[in-house]
């Protein structure tokens, strides 16, 4: 990639902030979509709930990366918040896709955020991008989320769905705000049985993978953004203990998680063994393929 104009939604989130920083460091012009009046050429006004985008501000963009959406684990899953999770993704994606499709010279690619929640609970079964959607709330959201990008696809824009796993970062997200502090205090432990698989990706690899999706013309449709070796929660817990040099004796029983998290506990206790087949076959190389390397990278060890 060289000297492109790239639009990004969700640019103030954990992943969006890192992506914008990476793109600008390499000399690309980044246009941020903001939910207020734009100030200058590097901002575009949008309102995902009203499905409004100032499409003229996207003129000249060669790529659009759509990452915006309400946090899945930020609040207890009341019916009201589940509606917010769904609408923030479906309505926002539809707005972006329609704006892209309306341009006389649309961008070459739309990279649309999605999640491995698409697959639901896979147990010990390893799945790749050819697997069907699972059952439950998150899989149904992911299906609608991806379907909302249809206007861009129908307009001939190469559209990629970045089905992202658990992003391991030291500066924010679940790891930075919750897991690392908990394990540093010696209070970390496995969740439930610990046999459930967790598919993760280092923040460095997440950003590199998003840029790979922008640049690789052969990629379209779903692409799993996960490290190549998923681990069980027990293995992850043991790795956290080794890296942080802390005991991991505690166990959070499944009933306690259900009481604390409600419906979301089913996804925390569920197993997702997801493989990045499309990424690897397209030539992407992971800098941090293993869990210990990933954790050390997040902690800058």
């Amino acid at each position: 990639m060289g000297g492109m104009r790239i639009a990004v939604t969700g640019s103030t989130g954990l992943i969006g902030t890192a992506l914008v920083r990476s793109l600008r460091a390499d000399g690309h012009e980044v246009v941020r979509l903001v939910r207020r009046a734009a100030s200058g050429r590097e901002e575009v006004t949008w309102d995902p709930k009203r499905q409004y985008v100032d499409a003229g501000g996207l003129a000249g963009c060669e790529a659009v990366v759509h990452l915006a959406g309400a946090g899945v684990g930020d609040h207890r899953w009341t019916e009201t918040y589940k509606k917010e999770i769904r609408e923030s993704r479906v309505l926002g994606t539809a707005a972006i896709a329609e704006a892209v499709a309306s341009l006389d010279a649309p961008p070459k690619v739309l990279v649309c955020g999605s999640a491995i929640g698409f697959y639901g609970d896979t147990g010990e079964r390893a799945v790749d991008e050819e697997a069907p959607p699972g059952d439950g709330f998150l899989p149904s959201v992911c299906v609608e989320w991806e379907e909302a990008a249809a206007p861009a696809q129908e307009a001939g824009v190469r559209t990629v769905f970045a089905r992202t796993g658990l992003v391991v970062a030291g500066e924010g997200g679940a790891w930075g705000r919750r897991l690392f502090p908990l394990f540093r205090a010696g209070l970390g432990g496995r969740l439930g049985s610990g046999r459930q698989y967790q598919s993760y990706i280092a923040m460095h690899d997440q950003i590199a993978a998003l840029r790979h999706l922008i640049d690789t013309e052969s990629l379209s449709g779903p692409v799993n953004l996960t490290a190549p070796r998923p681990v069980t929660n027990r293995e992850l817990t043991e790795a956290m203990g080794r890296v942080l040099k802390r005991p991991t004796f505690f166990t959070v029983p499944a009933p306690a998680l259900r009481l604390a998290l409600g419906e979301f506990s089913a996804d925390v206790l569920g197993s997702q063994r997801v493989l990045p087949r499309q990424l690897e076959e397209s030539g992407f190389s992971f800098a941090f393929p293993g869990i210990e390397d990933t954790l050390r990278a997040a902690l800058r060890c």
Side-chain angles (χ1 to χ4, degrees):
M1 298 190 304
M4 290 199 295
R5 178 172 164 86
I6 302 171
V8 180
T9 77
S11 63
T12 60
L14 178 67
I15 297 171
T17 297
L19 177 63
V20 169
R21 183 169 58 241
S22 172
L23 291 169
R24 285 180 171 165
D26 284 346
H28 302 292
E29 179 185 1
V30 177
V31 180
R32 298 173 53 246
L33 276 80
V34 297
R35 304 181 197 198
R36 53 173 171 74
S39 58
R41 174 179 163 82
E42 293 188 349
E43 291 186 349
V44 172
T45 300
W46 81 315
D47 185 337
K49 288 188 176 181
R50 291 197 301 117
Q51 293 185 267
Y52 168 77
V53 178
D54 180 8
L58 300 179
C61 287
E62 295 180 62
V64 175
V65 183
H66 173 46
L67 302 173
V72 171
D74 291 358
H75 300 277
R76 192 176 181 87
W77 280 10
T78 62
E79 290 304 313
T80 298
Y81 195 65
K82 285 167 68 176
K83 181 179 179 183
E84 173 69 15
I85 289 172
R86 186 184 300 273
E87 289 188 350
S88 69
R89 286 160 172 75
V90 176
L91 298 183
T93 300
I96 291 295
E98 288 166 6
V100 163
S102 73
L103 296 173
D104 291 335
K108 296 176 181 178
V109 59
L110 169 62
V111 176
C112 184
S114 186
I116 61 170
F118 177 94
Y119 304 107
D121 189 337
T122 71
E124 295 187 356
R125 177 173 55 94
V127 298
D128 61 23
E129 291 87 354
E130 293 185 358
D135 298 319
F137 173 66
L138 285 183
S140 71
V141 169
C142 289
V143 169
E144 290 186 42
W145 190 3
E146 295 182 7
E147 287 178 345
Q153 293 174 299
E154 292 166 1
V157 176
R158 179 170 66 89
T159 303
V160 190
F161 301 107
R163 292 180 181 167
T164 299
L166 302 170
V167 179
V168 183
E171 65 271 25
W175 257 269
R177 292 199 307 265
R178 302 173 190 172
L179 294 180
F180 282 136
L182 190 67
F183 275 80
R184 279 196 181 101
L187 301 175
R190 63 180 171 84
L191 304 178
S193 70
R195 293 194 296 270
Q196 67 272 28
Y197 276 91
Q198 297 185 299
S199 296
Y200 63 91
I201 186 169
M203 173 61 85
H204 173 96
D205 286 332
Q206 172 73 15
I207 301 307
L210 287 171
R211 295 190 58 170
H212 182 75
L213 299 185
I214 294 171
D215 196 39
T216 307
E217 295 182 2
S218 62
L219 286 173
S220 63
V223 179
N224 295 332
L225 270 56
T226 59
R229 297 196 291 272
V231 294
T232 64
N233 177 257
R234 182 187 296 274
E235 292 169 332
L236 172 60
T237 299
E238 292 171 352
M240 290 279 279
R242 288 193 298 272
V243 170
L244 293 170
K245 298 180 173 60
R246 293 291 189 275
T248 56
F249 301 129
F250 291 93
T251 298
V252 183
L257 276 172
R258 294 188 186 100
L259 182 64
L261 301 179
E263 185 179 350
F264 181 46
S265 65
D267 291 275
V268 173
L269 293 167
S271 182
Q272 292 200 301
R273 192 176 183 182
V274 180
L275 304 179
R277 182 177 62 83
Q278 291 277 32
L279 266 186
E280 292 191 306
E281 289 183 357
S282 66
F284 182 80
S285 179
F286 287 88
F288 304 102
I291 187 60
E292 285 201 27
D293 287 344
T294 294
L295 295 173
R296 294 184 190 282
L299 294 165
R300 295 177 173 82
C301 293

